[in-house]
């Protein structure tokens, strides 16, 4: 906990300006990549029958001094310094390798893996090629790779984004719209994007049982997804009661601490194996 506090302070954007330049932080991330300090944790995704259908990859920085650092503390810095590009490539490469590993185990062979993508990655002219190459190099099943975009990325140059999404979809990869409901995406864009899933933001899930307006939003996102032919997953599900309320709204899938916290891949298989006992 003490290390966590130090971490938060060091990576606090206000402190950062005082103590560290962008160049120094970029160097720190580059060194972290060279030293293999970044790790992927995985959080299970569960369908309406309580079966594990896959996971989301969530990066952590196993910093040699600061311990395990949350992405909330370094992804914004990685984005500002441009280091999100090499870091994002590492994430994609590692995620594809994990899919290959899962494909060798009958219990996990059908699992999908969701990978978060930053706006600046998607803006790269080489982004489509980099996804294609990561798939080819690893031999990962493209149909089991899912990219998570957020609404906030869809504001500038939507045409360019749609072209790239379509090219990536051609590879067999699918798209989920993360943190849905927190951004400003216009419904007319939503119709044009080749998405296969909406992800209800956890801020609406948290009080879905007690705040009628959050319940209405969750219900509306499910209805919107259904009418656009998309599946809907809820993130941040922490209790059986939240799951049940969302299931009653016909939400298709669930993710959150109730089913399992993000964990290293080997720990994940164990928890996924006992998943059905929870329900
Ligand atoms: P996100 O993609 O919306 O991921 C969901 C976050 O909610 C994760 O935080 C997850 O650990 C947390 N979470 C999951 N279940 C629950 C729950 O039941 N209750 C609560 N309170 N929280 C829950 P995390 O791992 O700290 O990641 C934060 C954000 O960092 C992610 O939000 C994503 O935007 C970003 N991120 C993580 N990994 C990557 C990555 O590889 N690339 C990029 N570009 N961004 C990443
Ligand atoms: Mg996500
Ligand atoms: Mg999210
Ligand atoms: Mg979120």
């Amino acid at each position: 906990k003490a290390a966590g506090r130090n971490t938060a302070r060091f990576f606090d954007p206000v402190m950062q300006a005082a103590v560290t330049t962008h160049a120094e932080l970029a160097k720190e991330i580059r060194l972290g990549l060279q030293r293999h300090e970044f790790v992927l944790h995985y959080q299970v995704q569960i369908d309406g029958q309580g079966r594990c259908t896959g996971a989301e990859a969530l990066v952590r920085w196993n910093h040699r001094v600061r311990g395990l650092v949350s992405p909330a503390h370094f992804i914004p810095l990685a984005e500002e310094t441009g280091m999100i590009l090499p870091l994002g490539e590492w994430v994609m490469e590692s995620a594809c390798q994990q899919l290959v590993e899962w494909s060798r185990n009958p219990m996990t062979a059908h699992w999908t893996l969701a990978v978060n993508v930053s706006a600046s990655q998607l803006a790269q002219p080489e982004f489509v090629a980099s996804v294609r190459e990561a798939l080819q190099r690893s031999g990962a099943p493209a149909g089991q790779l899912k990219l998570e975009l957020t609404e906030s990325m869809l504001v500038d140059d939507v045409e360019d984004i749609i072209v790239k999404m379509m090219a990536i979809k051609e590879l067999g990869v699918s798209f989920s719209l993360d943190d849905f409901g927190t951004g400003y995406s216009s419904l007319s864009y939503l119709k044009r994007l080749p998405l296969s899933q909406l992800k209800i933001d956890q801020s609406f899930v948290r009080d879905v049982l007690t705040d009628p307006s959050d319940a209405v939003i969750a219900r509306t996102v499910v209805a919107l997804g259904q009418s656009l032919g998309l599946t809907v997953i809820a993130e941040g599900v922490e209790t059986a009661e939240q799951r049940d309320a969302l299931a009653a709204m016909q939400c298709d899938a669930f993710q959150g601490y109730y089913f399992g916290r993000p964990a290293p891949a080997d720990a994940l298989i164990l928890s996924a194996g006992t998943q059905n006992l929870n329900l």
Side-chain angles (χ1 to χ4, degrees):
K1 277 281 175 294
R5 271 202 304 278
N6 287 335
T7 295
R9 201 159 53 228
F10 179 86
F11 288 103
D12 181 286
V14 180
M15 288 300 292
Q16 165 208 326
V19 298
T20 328
T21 66
H22 269 66
E24 283 168 331
L25 285 163
K27 195 172 141 210
E28 184 84 1
I29 294 174
R30 189 177 296 115
L31 268 176
L33 279 166
Q34 282 166 6
R35 291 174 166 148
H36 307 287
E37 291 180 341
F38 291 93
V39 290
L40 289 184
H41 282 191
Y42 301 88
Q43 186 176 37
V44 291
Q45 299 186 328
I46 305 295
D47 72 10
Q49 279 73 50
R51 291 176 300 227
C52 180
T53 59
E56 175 178 6
L58 294 156
V59 69
R60 274 95 182 87
W61 188 352
N62 200 352
H63 194 280
R64 63 202 177 284
V65 179
R66 297 177 191 94
L68 205 61
V69 183
S70 150
H73 293 135
F74 63 85
I75 290 287
L77 300 174
E79 285 171 345
E80 283 171 44
T81 56
M83 288 307 290
I84 192 66
L85 300 177
L87 180 59
E89 292 229 353
W90 177 85
V91 168
M92 194 68 74
E93 200 77 43
S94 309
C96 285
Q97 283 165 14
Q98 189 59 56
L99 269 177
V100 169
E101 211 158 296
W102 285 346
S103 72
R104 299 197 179 110
N105 177 345
M107 197 190 105
T108 54
H110 63 284
W111 281 12
T112 58
L113 182 53
V115 174
N116 293 283
V117 171
S118 286
S120 48
Q121 288 178 270
L122 192 55
Q124 290 297 300
E126 308 81 21
F127 183 67
V128 177
S130 80
V131 174
R132 186 190 301 116
E133 282 158 22
L135 285 166
Q136 282 172 350
R137 261 197 304 272
S138 60
Q144 285 158 254
L145 180 66
K146 185 158 73 173
L147 302 187
E148 292 198 1
L149 310 181
T150 60
E151 280 176 280
S152 53
M153 321 175 34
L154 306 175
V155 284
D156 34 51
D157 212 348
V158 183
E159 300 307 323
D160 175 62
I161 289 171
I162 291 175
V163 167
K164 283 174 173 152
M165 286 176 76
M166 286 182 162
I168 291 169
K169 194 186 170 183
E170 283 290 302
L171 304 173
V173 177
S174 60
F175 289 94
S176 181
L177 198 51
D178 202 355
D179 304 340
F180 187 72
T182 61
Y184 304 93
S185 63
S186 115
L187 295 181
S188 65
Y189 283 159
L190 210 51
K191 197 181 64 179
R192 296 184 52 213
L193 298 170
L195 293 167
S196 62
Q197 186 175 65
L198 298 179
K199 197 171 205 183
I200 305 176
D201 189 67
Q202 58 188 56
S203 62
F204 307 117
V205 172
R206 190 178 309 125
D207 299 320
V208 73
L209 298 167
T210 51
D211 185 335
S213 51
D214 284 343
V216 165
I217 291 170
R219 204 183 300 278
T220 304
V221 174
V222 172
L224 179 64
Q226 279 178 350
S227 65
L228 292 170
L230 311 175
T231 63
V232 177
I233 183 168
E235 71 175 354
V237 178
E238 295 186 352
T239 67
E241 291 73 22
Q242 289 170 340
R243 190 217 79 103
D244 292 345
L246 290 155
M249 297 173 184
Q250 298 188 54
C251 184
D252 303 285
F254 314 92
Q255 184 183 338
Y257 295 166
Y258 173 62
F259 300 99
R261 294 190 175 245
D266 33 336
L268 186 80
I269 304 225
L270 290 172
S271 77
T274 57
Q275 208 64 74
N276 292 326
L277 301 176
N278 283 341
L279 297 168

